[in-house]
Amino acid sequence: MATVGALLVGGVASAQPVTPSPGSTGLGDTYFPGDGNGGYDVSSYRIAHTMRLAKGELSGRTVVRARATQALSRFNLDFVLPVRSVSVNGTKARFTRPNRHELTVIPRTALAGGSAFQVVVRYRGKPAKHAWRGERPWLGDEREVVAMGEPQIAAWWFPSNDHPQDKARFDISIRVPRGKQAIANGRLVSTKRTAHWTTWRWQAKEEMAPYLAFFAAGDFALERGRTSSGVRWVNAVSEQLSPARRRAALAFLRKTPKVIAWLERRLGPYPFVDAGGLVTALDTGFALENQTRPTYPALADFSAGGGLLAHELAHQWFGDLVAVRQWRDIWLNEGFASYFGDLWGDGLDLASSNAMLERGWRWWDAASFWHLDISDPGPRMLFDTPVYQRGSLAVAALRQRLGEQDFWLLLRTWLADRSHGSVAEFETLAASISGEDLDGFFDAWLRADRRPARSVENGLLPPT
Ligand SMILES: [Zn+2]
């Protein structure tokens, strides 16, 4: 690995050595200050696990490839499981656990700023036994596990820089007892069998945020195919479900290509080379937009059309492709996913959008619904109903306010940028594309503690 610090290349800096210092223990997220870490940028995770379902025990190692963004004397990874060993660039490294969520790695030699490095962490533990700040996101029993959660799940199964600001590529191998299946993001690249075990290896071709990485292990029925635009899909349904539920779940997931094609008509090409979905038998209580393979709960209403699919698949653009800058920007994920979920069944045309807007504006007449500032809802209200429903109506109102041309130009420009977006940046882009002052509009829809007045300015009446 190159060890010449970028700052020293070309003699830009003087010969004075940079004193290595510890990487910060967070990335400055206002809601979750311990999430993510400073001083480095991860390029890839290579995860190799054994999942002993009967014992609820996970063991293995993760290889983290990263680049130092400063001269590092030590750095943190986010991880809750007991660690057995750590090495940096092939040399054994010291480590400490300053609290239940952080792993501090102290390399034998400091890392030069700009240098690429590789960390190998080995561990063994029972994820269900670990809690952090009241979070206990691990879901599993002796027959099935599914690692899915938001904003936190990664730390319960692999060491990472756990924040949407640091996307990376993933290679995930899960070894399960022979006869069981392990499903993760991206593409299945191999299944290797020994007398007692099968190792399922999945690769995500595009980078993703750590919370969007997932795996499920247990007994699953798999189906695969290609969408009309050539995207490969893999669907998986738990065999712990009754035969009737399993059939309904498979039929539900088979709508995925159709929903993707529907979204592509307005949002442009689906952003990844792999797709699909998974239905777990576990009572998760929520669905999640795991990148390329959303997970749906056992109790989902599979007969209710594709609204839930449209929500999770719209997240592949809003949330997965374009990640939030900070968790406070959650409206950019849930408002837009909810908007497309709400339109499924009616249609993507302006008349359907306006009808949905009118219905929602009338329906949500309780003052309590309008109290939450959805541009900064706070960590405890991050997934509260208004973030979704007020959030969806805000998108519909923006569409009526801007008109078809500017609205879709805005969304496609936003998506093409592929950055880590903030609500403030979205507001600025909307104003710049429309050439209009939208401060009053966004205050009314995102921040004011009352229902927006019925006006042209608020997008509740057609433009005059
Ligand atoms: Zn969502």
Side-chain angles (χ1 to χ4, degrees):
M1 293 285 163
T3 52
V4 179
L7 289 172
L8 300 176
V9 170
V12 173
S14 69
Q16 278 187 352
V18 180
T19 309
S21 57
S24 65
T25 59
L27 275 173
D29 193 280
T30 48
Y31 292 178
F32 305 101
D35 286 12
N37 306 284
Y40 64 93
D41 184 56
V42 178
S43 54
S44 71
Y45 297 95
R46 202 167 79 235
I47 297 166
H49 282 169
T50 296
M51 186 70 229
R52 289 178 173 82
L53 287 162
K55 289 165 84 179
E57 185 188 81
L58 183 153
S59 60
R61 62 162 167 73
T62 293
V63 181
V64 183
R65 288 176 189 274
R67 185 169 293 278
T69 54
Q70 66 176 69
L72 280 172
S73 58
R74 58 177 65 193
F75 59 89
N76 277 19
L77 290 160
D78 302 313
F79 197 43
V80 305
L81 296 184
V83 169
R84 308 176 92 187
S85 71
V86 180
S87 74
V88 177
N89 293 335
T91 305
K92 201 168 177 206
R94 281 204 299 130
F95 62 91
T96 61
R97 306 304 299 262
N99 61 44
R100 288 185 197 166
H101 181 262
E102 301 289 319
L103 167 66
T104 302
V105 178
I106 307 145
R108 188 162 297 177
T109 348
L111 302 166
S115 65
F117 63 98
Q118 177 177 300
V119 191
V120 181
V121 184
R122 290 173 197 278
Y123 39 83
R124 178 192 293 261
K126 294 184 176 176
K129 291 178 71 178
H130 295 270
W132 167 246
R133 298 232 158 134
E135 293 263 355
R136 204 181 266 281
W138 188 257
L139 297 159
D141 57 28
E142 67 283 357
R143 291 188 294 192
E144 187 168 324
V145 298
V146 56
M148 61 185 275
E150 185 183 11
Q152 281 135 354
I153 185 61
W156 276 257
W157 66 288
F158 65 98
S160 75
N161 193 23
D162 188 11
H163 195 276
Q165 278 179 33
D166 193 1
K167 286 184 173 187
R169 288 175 208 285
F170 281 77
D171 183 316
I172 301 169
S173 288
I174 309 288
R175 193 169 73 137
V176 285
R178 193 173 164 132
K180 304 279 181 191
Q181 286 77 39
I183 322 296
N185 312 81
R187 187 161 300 178
L188 180 63
V189 293
S190 66
T191 48
K192 291 210 171 105
R193 289 181 181 83
T194 62
H196 300 292
W197 300 93
T198 306
T199 302
W200 295 70
R201 185 177 181 193
W202 298 81
Q203 278 178 349
K205 303 285 181 189
E206 302 91 0
E207 54 177 24
M208 63 180 159
Y211 83 95
L212 295 169
F214 95 108
F215 85 92
D219 300 289
F220 291 91
L222 267 64
E223 287 189 348
R224 51 188 101 193
R226 278 180 191 261
T227 69
S228 54
S229 55
V231 174
R232 295 192 202 194
W233 57 262
V234 175
N235 292 336
V237 167
S238 173
E239 296 191 329
Q240 308 300 337
L241 296 168
S242 71
R245 289 291 288 166
R246 216 182 305 161
R247 275 195 302 278
L250 279 167
F252 168 79
L253 289 179
R254 277 183 213 126
K255 292 181 197 155
T256 293
K258 189 176 163 194
V259 177
I260 287 176
W262 182 77
L263 291 164
E264 283 179 323
R265 276 165 40 198
R266 293 295 189 156
L267 299 177
Y270 174 79
F272 310 119
V273 296
D274 295 287
L278 179 139
V279 175
T280 173
L282 298 166
D283 183 12
T284 60
F286 62 98
L288 193 66
E289 62 267 25
N290 306 317
Q291 190 159 311
T292 68
R293 198 146 296 123
T295 301
Y296 305 92
L299 299 177
D301 184 356
F302 300 130
S303 62
L308 179 60
L309 285 167
H311 179 106
E312 302 308 333
L313 292 168
H315 269 309
Q316 303 301 308
W317 284 266
F318 295 97
D320 294 10
L321 173 65
V322 178
V324 288
R325 170 81 46 80
Q326 293 220 4
W327 283 109
R328 62 181 284 170
D329 300 308
I330 192 70
W331 170 64
L332 296 171
N333 290 10
E334 299 307 343
F336 289 81
S338 298
Y339 177 70
F340 289 101
D342 290 345
L343 282 191
W344 176 262
D346 290 336
L348 283 165
D349 56 292
L350 179 63
S352 299
S353 176
N354 285 341
M356 186 269 283
L357 172 63
E358 180 64 23
R359 266 197 319 272
W361 186 83
R362 285 174 184 275
W363 172 261
W364 297 106
D365 59 351
S368 59
F369 176 80
W370 298 97
H371 283 332
L372 190 67
D373 172 353
I374 62 168
S375 73
D376 191 3
R380 289 188 314 124
M381 304 300 243
L382 200 54
F383 301 110
D384 206 35
T385 303
V387 173
Y388 295 73
Q389 295 310 322
R390 182 179 184 170
S392 168
L393 297 177
V395 177
L398 182 64
R399 183 170 173 182
Q400 176 148 244
R401 170 73 200 261
L402 295 190
E404 286 299 87
Q405 200 175 337
D406 283 356
F407 175 79
W408 294 108
L409 178 62
L410 168 62
L411 263 51
R412 293 183 71 146
T413 306
W414 179 250
L415 293 167
D417 192 30
R418 294 180 187 218
S419 65
H420 302 276
S422 70
V423 172
E425 285 167 346
F426 183 84
E427 291 181 41
T428 303
L429 184 66
S432 130
I433 282 180
S434 64
E436 291 182 42
D437 179 351
L438 296 171
D439 289 355
F441 173 90
F442 283 116
D443 280 344
W445 278 103
L446 306 182
R447 287 177 272 271
D449 70 344
R450 73 193 79 87
R451 184 161 67 166
R454 183 186 284 284
S455 68
V456 173
E457 288 69 30
N458 287 342
L460 280 159
L461 293 169
T464 44

